[in-house]
Amino acid sequence: MTGTTYGAAFAVRWMETVAAAVEREADRLTELDSAIGDADHGANLRRGFAAVAETLAKEPPATPGAVLVTSGRVLISTVGGASGPLYGTLLRRAGKSLGEAGEVTRAGLADALAAGVAAVGQLGGAVPGDKTMLDALTPAVEALRESFAAGRAAAEAGALATVPLRARKGRASYLGERSVGHQDRKSDVEGKRRWPRCLTDD
């Protein structure tokens, strides 16, 4: 089927699915972070996405864009370190790109997320290949134009591809060559296990 559109309820399910996945994988995220970060990534994201789910449950926004903007705002205010501004900027910019439309197509969602990814790159001064979340986000968003399944696969491949890279941005960059051989923990959040299973193809 083509031409499928997705409304606010879909966006809320997406954020709820992410929150549940982060809760489930928080210890693993912290384990990844302990190798090349400061060992608080899982706890920070758990707190942030739990707050997102709680906020959306109390008063669900009326449009997909508003869901993402609200979620981004909550992450910025509740997640410590660089993660809050990065994930928050991604969702806020994507939500603003969607505007006040009541429904969005998969192509429209891909365009909005691409704007969010670009904003993350500008905020962090990073590009793909720097061993950051962009290494998973960039191919995932491009593949999303093909299908949700392709987006999931590209996200996972991009996250795993950070292992042999030397970190050039963020705390991991302080380790220099010692960052090689470790998966970037922020990229893993965009990996297959956390790409929302509620997303179904057109």
Side-chain angles (χ1 to χ4, degrees):
M1 181 181 297
T2 60
T4 301
T5 58
Y6 307 92
F10 165 87
V12 170
R13 289 199 310 275
W14 179 13
M15 293 298 103
E16 290 173 341
T17 302
V18 173
V22 168
E23 174 65 29
R24 185 172 62 248
E25 299 285 344
D27 290 344
R28 181 172 182 273
L29 292 171
T30 294
E31 180 182 355
L32 289 173
D33 193 30
S34 66
I36 57 174
D38 47 11
D40 64 355
H41 191 54
N44 282 342
L45 285 189
R46 173 190 279 147
R47 180 175 62 254
F49 277 101
V52 167
E54 181 179 359
T55 299
L56 295 179
K58 287 181 178 178
E59 191 173 348
T63 66
V67 171
L68 298 187
V69 169
T70 298
S71 300
R73 185 179 67 248
V74 172
L75 290 178
I76 290 172
S77 66
T78 58
V79 178
S83 297
L86 290 171
Y87 288 113
T89 294
L90 169 64
L91 294 179
R92 280 170 55 87
R93 184 63 60 87
K96 289 180 179 179
S97 294
L98 291 178
E100 298 180 1
E103 295 189 327
V104 59
T105 63
R106 177 165 47 78
L109 179 60
D111 287 341
L113 289 173
V117 171
V120 168
Q122 292 171 355
L123 179 63
V127 297
D130 283 341
K131 199 183 181 89
T132 72
M133 60 198 296
L134 293 183
D135 291 303
L137 286 171
T138 302
V141 169
E142 186 58 34
L144 178 59
R145 301 182 190 284
E146 177 184 339
S147 69
F148 287 117
R152 288 194 299 268
E156 181 179 47
L160 294 176
T162 65
V163 173
L165 299 179
R166 175 178 175 173
R168 302 185 187 281
K169 296 291 180 180
R171 184 178 293 272
S173 66
Y174 303 159
L175 299 177
E177 290 295 336
R178 287 182 293 161
S179 66
V180 174
H182 298 282
Q183 183 173 323
D184 177 66
R185 78 280 194 195
K186 287 189 178 70
S187 71
D188 188 68
V189 175
E190 310 310 324
K192 188 173 183 178
R193 273 180 279 186
R194 273 155 295 282
W195 190 275
R197 294 294 182 179
C198 64
L199 304 183
T200 55
D201 288 312
D202 293 0

